[in-house]
Amino acid sequence: MNDKLALPVGTTLDRFIMRKQEAFPYATGELSQLLRDIALAAKIVNREINRAGLLDVTGAYGQQNVQGEDQQKLDVIANIRFIRALRNGGEVCTIISEEEDDIIQTGNHKGKYIVAIDPLDGSSNIDVNVSIGTIFSVYRRLSEQGCDGTEEDCLQKGDRQVAAGYVIYGSSTMLVYTTGHGVNGFTYDPSLGEFFLSHPTITSPTTGNIYSINEGTYNYFPEGVKQYVNYCKENDYSARYIGSLVADFHRNLLKGGIYMYPATTKAPKGKLRLMYECNALAFIVEQAGGKATNGSQRIMEMQPTELHQRCPLFIGSTEMVDKVHEFLKAEVEVG
Ligand code: AHM
Ligand code: MG
């Protein structure tokens, strides 16, 4: 027989999710359905992104195209797509989105889950054909089923996540997720319209030589971060900064490295959002053996107080996060 015919058929995301569900005899399949809904929306958004430049989907929101129709920016389109998929899926009662000021009620009162989502992260890269991503977190609701979810349901600590993941729209499109039992990555085959398991059980190197930070804002960094950046240079580390969190994070997760968005004198709370960006990636990095902190505290233990709360982020290979902590600690001790 032809050797190639003997190769196992690739594992699709659907099949993988089903197998994982079967491993839990009491699983109802609702979380599995939710993950499938996210994958479906990701495929649709992937299609829109790949047509950007051909369709009028880049540029400023609020303009009209030649037919007089409203143009929609890709991040607005992505927001609509994910919300629609989650609403139609029926498993989610409430969504919070980086694109929306307020809580979104899906009307699915029986839905057990809450989703926090950044539908399209890396907005400054959308118009210029650079990798962008979607980031999501899933929580179980705290309130009784049968009514809308509450703000308390949404403001849960990261360590209450039941699943988290991201989609990277890059040289290929990938979906990476965890349900707390390791991290797995799936690559999209556009000709088949399927995600296939390509990166099983992702483990992040404990150290690396890549540092990712917007060094243009060096003058505004805390002293400890300045010193750590100097340490990276003295040790011939490579500076890599795409400016799309998902892309920077994904590279560092696979190759070993650290991504930093510190509090600065200009942005004293940092830039990134705890609920839409930091928590999901913290869950994933920890599941892959890495670390995520705000400089002093584990991200997953931070109690959120507002939906759109910002927080500093130090995330990546364990030894590198520990090292930057040493510098930050020394700064505090010196005063
Ligand atoms: P966004 O949610 O408005 O896209 O902002 C988040 C992005 C991250 O993807 C990226 O790492 C960071 O902002 C870049 O910020 P800066 O341009 O300040 O370096
Ligand atoms: Mg964002």
Side-chain angles (χ1 to χ4, degrees):
M1 192 170 59
N2 180 333
D3 278 355
K4 281 194 179 152
L5 290 178
L7 288 173
V9 175
T11 305
T12 63
L13 176 64
D14 272 4
R15 184 174 291 257
F16 184 87
I17 290 172
M18 205 190 307
R19 273 202 209 135
K20 290 284 165 192
Q21 186 192 317
E22 282 163 7
F24 294 93
Y26 300 107
T28 57
E30 288 154 299
L31 181 60
S32 301
Q33 184 55 45
L34 194 168
L35 293 169
R36 283 194 211 100
D37 295 338
I38 287 181
L40 173 64
K43 289 182 195 176
I44 297 170
V45 170
N46 178 63
R47 185 190 63 190
E48 309 282 354
I49 288 170
N50 282 308
R51 292 194 297 184
L54 297 172
L55 299 178
D56 286 331
V57 287
T58 55
Y61 182 53
Q63 293 172 358
Q64 293 198 325
N65 66 14
V66 282
Q67 284 90 33
E69 295 159 348
D70 282 338
Q71 276 184 15
Q72 295 194 324
K73 272 179 75 173
L74 269 174
D75 41 10
V76 178
I77 292 174
N79 188 45
I80 293 168
R81 294 297 189 190
F82 279 100
I83 291 173
R84 201 180 284 165
L86 293 170
R87 182 177 279 148
N88 290 345
E91 322 301 342
V92 176
C93 60
T94 305
I95 304 166
I96 54 172
S97 165
E98 199 188 284
E99 290 289 328
E100 306 267 350
D101 290 343
D102 298 321
I103 288 177
I104 305 150
Q105 301 295 0
T106 63
N108 301 320
H109 292 163
K110 288 195 176 148
K112 271 192 207 162
Y113 294 105
I114 308 285
V115 168
I117 191 160
D118 183 350
L120 211 51
D121 183 66
S123 38
S124 63
N125 284 326
I126 293 175
D127 294 355
V128 290
N129 231 332
V130 172
S131 300
I132 44 185
T134 296
I135 310 172
F136 63 91
S137 292
V138 183
Y139 299 84
R140 203 166 278 119
R141 73 188 293 175
L142 303 170
S143 57
E144 291 292 321
Q145 284 168 264
C147 53
D148 283 341
T150 63
E151 186 162 300
E152 195 198 348
D153 287 328
C154 299
L155 293 177
Q156 298 188 52
K157 286 185 191 174
D159 62 8
R160 304 301 301 263
Q161 290 170 100
V162 292
Y166 60 84
V167 184
I168 175 167
Y169 310 95
S171 43
S172 60
T173 295
M174 275 191 76
L175 189 151
V176 176
Y177 83 96
T178 183
T179 53
H181 305 278
V183 182
N184 291 283
F186 300 80
T187 301
Y188 185 58
D189 181 338
S191 66
L192 296 172
E194 290 276 13
F195 283 99
F196 286 94
L197 180 63
S198 52
H199 295 64
T201 321
I202 295 174
T203 316
S204 193
T206 50
T207 191
N209 65 355
I210 297 173
Y211 72 104
S212 309
I213 191 166
N214 184 347
E215 225 172 314
T217 55
Y218 181 92
N219 290 341
Y220 310 109
F221 291 166
E223 206 43 47
V225 176
K226 283 183 181 170
Q227 284 176 15
Y228 179 69
V229 167
N230 295 339
Y231 167 88
C232 292
K233 291 178 178 180
E234 283 154 17
N235 286 280
D236 290 339
Y237 287 5
S238 290
R240 293 283 182 274
Y241 191 72
I242 297 168
S244 276
L245 175 60
V246 171
D248 281 310
F249 174 82
H250 182 70
R251 181 202 49 241
N252 294 356
L253 182 75
L254 298 183
K255 294 195 167 186
I258 185 167
Y259 172 98
M260 296 171 280
Y261 209 111
T264 62
T265 46
K266 273 196 166 173
K269 292 183 175 163
K271 175 185 183 187
L272 300 174
R273 316 281 182 146
L274 177 60
M275 300 307 297
Y276 312 114
E277 292 158 331
C278 303
N279 271 337
L281 300 186
F283 190 19
I284 292 166
V285 86
E286 288 194 7
Q287 284 294 315
K291 270 194 177 176
T293 77
N294 64 3
S296 57
Q297 187 185 12
R298 201 174 146 235
I299 292 287
M300 300 258 278
E301 285 172 6
M302 289 179 68
Q303 175 61 57
T305 52
E306 301 165 38
L307 298 179
H308 296 280
Q309 184 172 338
R310 295 180 194 273
C311 83
L313 181 64
F314 299 85
I315 190 165
S317 297
T318 303
E319 288 175 22
M320 299 178 85
V321 175
D322 287 344
K323 192 74 194 171
V324 71
H325 270 215
E326 279 175 30
F327 285 104
L328 288 167
K329 215 167 151 225
E331 177 188 347
V332 173
E333 278 163 9
V334 169

